[in-house]
Amino acid sequence: MEYKGFTLDRFQEEAIEAINHEQSVIVTAPTGAGKTVIAEYAVEKCLQTDKRVIYTAPIKALSNQKYRDFQSDYGDKIGIVTGDVVLNPYAQVLLMTTEIFRNTIFDDINRLQDVSYVIFDEIHYINDIERGTVWEESIIFAPQHIKFVCLSATIPNITSFAEWMQSVREIDIKVVEELERPVPLEHRLFFPGFGIGKLKHLKELRHIEKQQIRNKKKRKKKNSKKSDWEDNTKDYKSPNLKDIIPTELIPYLYKEERLPCLYFCFSRKFCEANAHYHASLGGLNLLDSEKQEQILEKFDALCMQFDIDEEEIIIDFRQLIANGIAYHHAGMLPTLKEVVERLFTSGLIQLLFTTETFAVGINMPACTVVFDSLEKFDGINFRYLKAREYHQMAGRAGRRGIDSIGYVYAKVEPGYATQDEVGKAISSKIEPISSQFNLSYSSILNLYEKYGNDIYDVYTMSLSNHQNLKQISEYNKQVASLGNEVKLLPLPTCIHDDIEGMTQIESYHRFKRTTEKKRQSLQMELANLKSNMPPGKSKKKERNKKLNPIYNKLNGLNTELSKHLCHECYQRKQCTDRYQAIRKKEHYIQNIKKRQRNIGNYQRDQIDARLNVLETLGYVEDQTLLPRGETASHLYGYELQLTQLLYKGLFEQMTEDEINCLMVAIVSEPRKDGFFKRLNNKRILTILNAAWNEILEIQAVEGKCNVAERTQLLEFRLCSAMLNWSRGCEFDKLTDYAELDAGDFVRTFRLVIDQLRQIRRAMKGHNALVDKLNRCIGKINRDVVDAERQLRIGQDVPNEKEGKTLKTDNE
């Protein structure tokens, strides 16, 4: 089949055939295989048949990119709705984040009546701990006439996932799975100080590195000047290490013509430090003079277009760009990130140091992918990458139609890594996706309004319940198997007439356990008495008077135990061994049954706990939403904090600047490091203190109701920065009030705007408050914070020669 001038692969034809038959389709295929073509076909078919289609993406950057792609082809038939931007919201093709789609289902489901298809890009995000529930809720509660196109690179348990999805959707679902990559990958490890090798080399290199550490200590004592490299190379005589390529990685890639390279670092600082280090290396000229001129011309034009040409960082960044090197991470200005993305698609950036967010959705492949480490900090601890994470990023290697092979290198320090840990991270056995179903208060309110007490049945529709039922079935098999094993075990046989052996030895050990507990209690009592008694011979009679009764009780315990029939029995050891073997199996069975009960009841118990909180706080009553519940049902995120503060009357009492200060304290994530300027405005501090106490009351109710995840308290670090931004300060002055990357300021301020818009919608009809909220938004939404402005000015990129629009590689 031909489509847009290309001959389609088998899996693309299968998926398109399913769309032609008005089916839903789940497609899993490696990154770069061409899944996007399927989504584009669904969009085009809906346009041709005058039906509406929604394209959802897990991140706003991907929504923005798809909007630009489609808008250049279809013009005003395209719209976008995210937390940051609303353009043409009733368009035939609508781009949005998955959260916005889920919210639309709950807020105004009638808006979806004429939607034919919903495309879920990166559907494996259903596995995301924090956000996965949004995908699950969307699939369960979307109108049944809607068909889905679900795209992912990694769903190993796709059959089970499709079974669940089919159980909650009426329209047939077609599963299309493609395992072969169009550009095969070659995976290698890079061992600093040794070179490029494979997993099999790690164990011996680990031994060598430990030996090196000992040698260094010896050399320090002898003042030897022997180099580390000399110390390394002498070990290559080992036949096991003969196929290691002794080299430094980036010069090797340059020499072997394996650029451009996406170099993943799990730290913003490392991204920047690596970029500057490699730009300073002499002899590593990644661009010739002609390409250098081209990239600088494009960089300058883009910076001018996005109005960031006078930013302080641009001078430094321009020097990196001149070397064909750049970095990309969430802490950068969103406009500068977009400049880097556009330059990368031009093929002129040869070495891009980036965090893992670059691996999500955005169609920007490279010849080579490098991992600076296979470990990352997950917010709590350092851990090795999961195989899914590794392959998601590694999948960016190999450009279809350009490279015959894609190359992947993972940097591993032999002295600190083991073969098992590294092997799991780079394994081809990708972890199955699992449910993260976790209804928020607003979701519960919306469902409670519709289903009342039948809300508990909603849980039975979840992927979590589907997977739990399978797990419970497995547990039942284990219990049955263990039960059969217990039946085959030999029973204790008592030598005394008319006594059942199992009952007798069981009673003995039960009595023995009870006796031991009594003994421990008496010994503690004895120790306490001794520690409180004064020393001296004169007190001996008094001491004995108090201690002897306890000694007598202890001796009595031994006497009681010795009276038991089993105590002196010659067969006691045999009976005990048999009894303990049976008891061990039975104990294991009880543990499995306990796990069964826990996984079966946890979500139901949490729904019940949150409903109890809502009832206690006056949000619901007799299966009806009260005014507070109505308000909270329109707020997605921070719903309890905001609703309680709204009904306390704080928003009416505050000025716009004060509201913005409170909002940034609500949405900010807790931080332990970095400078921030404390507020010295007594009025605002009084307001924040009142809000803090209100949230403490929410937490107290949640504690009584056994809610697992408590409502978040306020974070004050950005209050001074927000206050001054709201009063009109320049963006580059914000670092006077808080130590934060530019991108974090923008992202947090945009989140405040999103929440203010939600409050505005929830308080519709309260005109004075709505007007005030509009003014609050206007004070924040300016300059680089204005996401809509960024999207609009980025739609047309001037060609430096002809003044026409540049087409990126993936358009």
Side-chain angles (χ1 to χ4, degrees):
M1 177 179 175
E2 294 284 325
Y3 179 64
K4 290 189 174 182
F6 296 99
T7 302
L8 297 183
D9 293 336
R10 175 203 56 80
F11 82 95
Q12 293 168 325
E13 289 184 354
E14 281 187 38
I16 285 173
E17 185 181 359
I19 293 169
N20 287 334
H21 284 90
E22 299 292 318
Q23 294 176 309
S24 291
V25 60
I26 306 172
V27 182
T28 177
T31 303
K35 296 183 293 295
T36 304
V37 169
I38 298 163
E40 290 172 352
Y41 183 85
V43 168
E44 194 170 285
K45 188 173 188 295
C46 288
L47 285 169
Q48 290 171 353
T49 54
D50 202 28
K51 295 177 181 177
R52 293 185 70 213
V53 59
I54 290 174
Y55 194 119
T56 78
I59 59 173
K60 293 171 184 175
L62 183 52
S63 294
N64 292 344
Q65 184 198 36
K66 292 298 181 185
Y67 170 75
R68 285 193 298 267
D69 291 349
F70 287 134
Q71 207 270 342
S72 66
D73 288 335
Y74 305 115
D76 61 6
K77 291 183 178 181
I78 310 299
I80 182 169
V81 180
T82 67
D84 296 337
V85 179
V86 179
L87 293 174
N88 201 10
Y90 297 98
Q92 193 175 351
V93 180
L94 204 54
L95 284 297
M96 56 175 63
T97 56
T98 315
E99 279 83 355
I100 296 294
F101 176 66
R102 188 277 310 270
N103 298 351
T104 304
I105 293 171
F106 288 149
D107 277 342
D108 188 3
I109 200 167
N110 291 327
R111 285 181 59 191
L112 303 173
Q113 288 308 309
D114 58 348
V115 172
S116 177
Y117 268 98
V118 171
I119 297 161
F120 280 136
D121 207 350
E122 310 285 349
I123 185 65
H124 57 266
Y125 257 76
I126 203 168
N127 192 74
D128 186 84
I129 292 174
E130 293 183 357
R131 300 174 59 206
T133 186
V134 176
W135 277 259
E136 206 162 329
E137 291 171 43
S138 298
I139 290 169
I140 294 170
F141 302 117
Q144 283 294 340
H145 73 273
I146 287 179
K147 301 172 285 291
F148 291 100
V149 174
C150 302
L151 307 176
S152 176
T154 50
I155 309 182
N157 53 333
I158 189 171
T159 303
S160 174
F161 176 76
E163 286 173 0
W164 162 73
M165 195 167 165
Q166 188 67 78
S167 72
V168 297
R169 305 302 303 172
E170 294 174 1
I171 294 172
D172 289 344
I173 298 169
K174 171 77 172 178
V175 174
V176 177
E177 191 171 14
E178 175 59 58
L179 301 177
E180 294 296 320
R181 284 182 54 88
V183 180
L185 298 183
E186 182 181 290
H187 297 264
R188 292 288 183 270
L189 300 180
F190 171 64
F191 305 107
F194 297 97
I196 297 168
K198 297 180 181 179
L199 183 62
K200 66 179 183 179
H201 300 125
L202 180 54
K203 187 175 181 180
E204 190 161 349
L205 291 178
R206 182 179 171 87
H207 171 73
I208 292 170
E209 189 138 306
K210 287 182 178 179
Q211 183 61 47
Q212 286 176 5
I213 293 170
R214 290 191 287 267
N215 292 345
K216 284 178 185 178
K217 290 178 181 178
K218 291 178 182 178
R219 288 204 304 273
K220 280 182 181 178
K221 292 180 181 179
K222 297 180 180 179
N223 294 319
S224 170
K225 295 183 179 180
K226 187 178 180 181
S227 71
D228 292 343
W229 189 260
E230 287 177 303
D231 201 25
N232 289 356
T233 52
K234 72 182 182 65
D235 293 298
Y236 285 117
K237 293 177 182 177
S238 166
N240 297 328
L241 303 176
K242 63 181 180 180
D243 52 343
I244 284 184
I245 305 170
T247 183
E248 290 297 326
L249 185 55
I250 299 302
Y252 173 81
L253 297 180
Y254 175 62
K255 179 184 175 184
E256 296 294 320
E257 298 182 352
R258 294 182 182 177
L259 300 177
C261 168
L262 275 177
Y263 196 117
F264 287 106
C265 303
F266 300 113
S267 157
R268 298 176 184 180
K269 289 182 179 178
F270 286 171
C271 282
E272 296 184 21
N274 270 319
H276 285 103
Y277 169 75
H278 286 89
S280 67
L281 287 178
L284 191 63
N285 301 316
L286 302 183
L287 296 178
D288 59 31
S289 58
E290 183 182 350
K291 287 184 177 179
Q292 187 178 73
E293 184 179 342
Q294 287 178 19
I295 197 171
L296 289 176
E297 193 173 343
K298 289 183 179 181
F299 178 73
D300 293 341
L302 286 166
C303 288
M304 188 174 295
Q305 181 177 342
F306 284 107
D307 197 23
I308 56 172
D309 51 311
E310 294 185 6
E311 294 287 337
E312 189 176 336
I313 192 175
I314 295 302
I315 297 173
D316 179 59
F317 211 91
R318 194 175 190 274
Q319 293 177 340
L320 293 175
I321 291 294
N323 287 280
I325 295 172
Y327 57 84
H328 181 286
H329 59 69
M332 296 164 61
L333 279 173
T335 41
L336 182 54
K337 282 200 301 179
E338 187 165 338
V339 168
V340 173
E341 290 163 13
R342 288 174 182 263
L343 289 175
F344 191 79
T345 60
S346 74
L348 291 170
I349 290 180
Q350 298 299 294
L351 188 54
L352 180 62
F353 296 92
T354 180
T355 51
E356 60 191 303
T357 52
F358 203 83
V360 181
I362 299 175
N363 183 22
M364 296 184 187
C367 178
T368 299
V369 162
V370 173
F371 292 84
D372 194 56
S373 172
L374 289 174
E375 292 182 274
K376 62 179 280 191
F377 185 69
D378 61 9
I380 301 173
N381 297 304
F382 279 96
R383 65 166 176 82
Y384 272 82
L385 294 180
K386 293 178 179 177
R388 178 187 297 107
E389 295 169 317
Y390 170 82
H391 285 283
Q392 180 73 26
M393 287 178 268
R396 292 291 164 199
R399 297 161 298 175
R400 189 170 189 175
I402 301 174
D403 302 315
S404 56
I405 296 177
Y407 300 93
V408 183
Y409 300 89
K411 182 178 171 184
V412 173
E413 298 282 356
Y416 302 96
T418 68
Q419 207 158 351
D420 285 345
E421 290 168 329
V422 174
K424 285 178 185 176
I426 65 175
S427 170
S428 58
K429 294 180 180 178
I430 298 172
E431 304 87 359
I433 61 171
S434 58
S435 170
Q436 305 298 334
F437 191 70
N438 182 27
L439 292 177
S440 64
Y441 287 109
S442 60
S443 293
I444 288 173
L445 286 165
N446 281 288
L447 294 170
Y448 191 69
E449 183 178 34
K450 183 175 181 180
Y451 298 104
N453 287 332
D454 291 337
I455 188 175
Y456 297 102
D457 295 334
V458 167
Y459 170 64
T460 64
M461 302 167 67
S462 68
L463 175 60
S464 174
N465 185 61
H466 180 80
Q467 292 178 329
N468 286 344
L469 289 175
K470 288 201 167 188
Q471 184 63 63
I472 288 170
S473 175
E474 288 299 315
Y475 283 153
N476 285 334
K477 290 177 184 177
Q478 290 181 39
V479 168
S481 176
L482 288 167
N484 290 332
E485 290 178 22
V486 169
K487 291 176 182 177
L488 295 175
L489 291 172
L491 292 170
T493 53
C494 190
I495 61 173
H496 303 283
D497 293 338
D498 301 323
I499 296 178
E500 186 181 334
M502 186 65 180
T503 302
Q504 186 67 8
I505 194 68
E506 187 175 17
S507 72
Y508 173 72
H509 282 280
R510 189 183 299 116
F511 184 71
K512 193 176 180 181
R513 289 193 294 273
T514 303
T515 302
E516 186 57 32
K517 286 180 182 177
K518 290 179 180 178
R519 188 191 314 281
Q520 290 175 0
S521 179
L522 289 170
Q523 286 173 340
M524 285 179 65
E525 186 180 348
L526 193 65
N528 287 334
L529 280 173
K530 287 181 177 180
S531 64
N532 292 323
M533 286 180 176
K537 292 183 179 179
S538 60
K539 305 291 183 179
K540 187 174 182 181
K541 286 186 178 180
E542 187 179 337
R543 284 163 58 88
N544 289 341
K545 189 177 179 181
K546 291 181 178 180
L547 297 177
N548 284 341
I550 298 175
Y551 284 124
N552 291 337
K553 287 180 181 178
L554 284 169
N555 291 331
L557 291 177
N558 294 331
T559 303
E560 287 180 39
L561 187 64
S562 65
K563 291 179 181 178
H564 197 283
L565 286 174
C566 295
H567 191 66
E568 297 294 337
C569 180
Y570 71 89
Q571 202 168 285
R572 190 183 77 187
K573 184 179 184 312
Q574 183 195 72
C575 289
T576 294
D577 288 345
R578 291 181 177 184
Y579 161 71
Q580 287 180 340
I582 293 170
R583 191 165 182 267
K584 184 178 179 181
K585 292 282 186 185
E586 288 178 341
H587 183 66
Y588 192 26
I589 289 171
Q590 290 307 312
N591 282 341
I592 293 174
K593 288 181 176 179
K594 185 178 179 181
R595 288 200 291 272
Q596 279 181 315
R597 290 192 297 273
N598 287 343
I599 66 171
N601 298 334
Y602 175 78
Q603 289 291 352
R604 185 180 291 270
D605 291 345
Q606 283 304 299
I607 292 171
D608 189 48
R610 286 191 169 96
L611 266 177
N612 287 337
V613 170
L614 293 169
E615 188 172 357
T616 304
L617 292 174
Y619 286 61
V620 298
E621 185 179 74
D622 297 331
Q623 301 190 49
T624 305
L625 298 195
L626 299 176
R628 286 178 191 245
E630 286 283 352
T631 300
S633 70
H634 295 291
L635 300 173
Y636 300 96
Y638 318 102
E639 52 266 43
L640 289 194
Q641 301 101 306
L642 292 172
T643 303
Q644 291 298 95
L645 297 177
L646 281 164
Y647 278 78
K648 195 177 178 69
L650 277 182
F651 280 76
E652 281 84 359
Q653 300 167 23
M654 291 186 287
T655 66
E656 290 85 352
D657 295 337
E658 290 165 350
I659 288 175
N660 289 341
C661 262
L662 172 61
M663 290 300 298
V664 84
I666 289 172
V667 307
S668 294
E669 292 293 325
R671 293 172 60 93
K672 295 181 180 179
D673 59 338
F675 153 82
F676 70 100
K677 191 171 183 178
R678 294 180 183 276
L679 276 172
N680 56 12
N681 186 308
K682 290 184 179 179
R683 175 178 160 80
I684 296 178
L685 288 171
T686 301
I687 292 168
L688 292 174
N689 187 56
W692 180 277
N693 290 332
E694 195 69 32
I695 297 170
L696 283 178
E697 290 183 21
I698 296 171
Q699 287 191 339
V701 174
E702 288 174 325
K704 290 178 183 177
C705 295
N706 297 315
V707 173
E709 296 176 17
R710 308 288 169 84
T711 295
Q712 181 178 299
L713 286 167
L714 302 180
E715 171 57 67
F716 301 129
R717 285 175 173 261
L718 292 184
C719 287
S720 288
M722 173 58 90
L723 180 61
N724 284 277
W725 179 253
S726 185
R727 288 174 173 174
C729 84
E730 296 295 322
F731 186 81
D732 58 6
K733 298 296 182 185
L734 288 176
T735 49
D736 293 343
Y737 305 101
E739 184 183 338
L740 205 68
D741 288 338
D744 292 326
F745 277 121
V746 172
R747 185 168 51 258
T748 306
F749 289 0
R750 286 178 177 177
L751 183 55
V752 170
I753 292 168
D754 183 20
Q755 292 300 138
L756 286 169
R757 286 172 175 162
Q758 289 189 39
I759 300 171
R760 182 180 64 186
R761 185 177 65 251
M763 302 307 291
K764 188 177 180 181
H766 299 263
N767 295 335
L769 180 54
V770 168
D771 289 343
K772 183 186 282 189
L773 293 171
N774 283 330
R775 293 193 295 274
C776 289
I777 293 168
K779 281 175 164 280
I780 306 172
N781 198 31
R782 58 185 176 84
D783 197 22
V784 295
V785 176
D786 188 344
E788 186 174 317
R789 172 179 172 271
Q790 179 187 339
L791 185 60
R792 286 186 184 279
I793 64 177
Q795 280 181 243
D796 296 312
V797 183
N799 183 296
E800 65 274 16
K801 291 183 180 179
E802 302 174 7
K804 296 180 180 178
T805 299
L806 278 175
K807 290 282 188 178
T808 55
D809 290 349
N810 57 306
E811 288 182 321

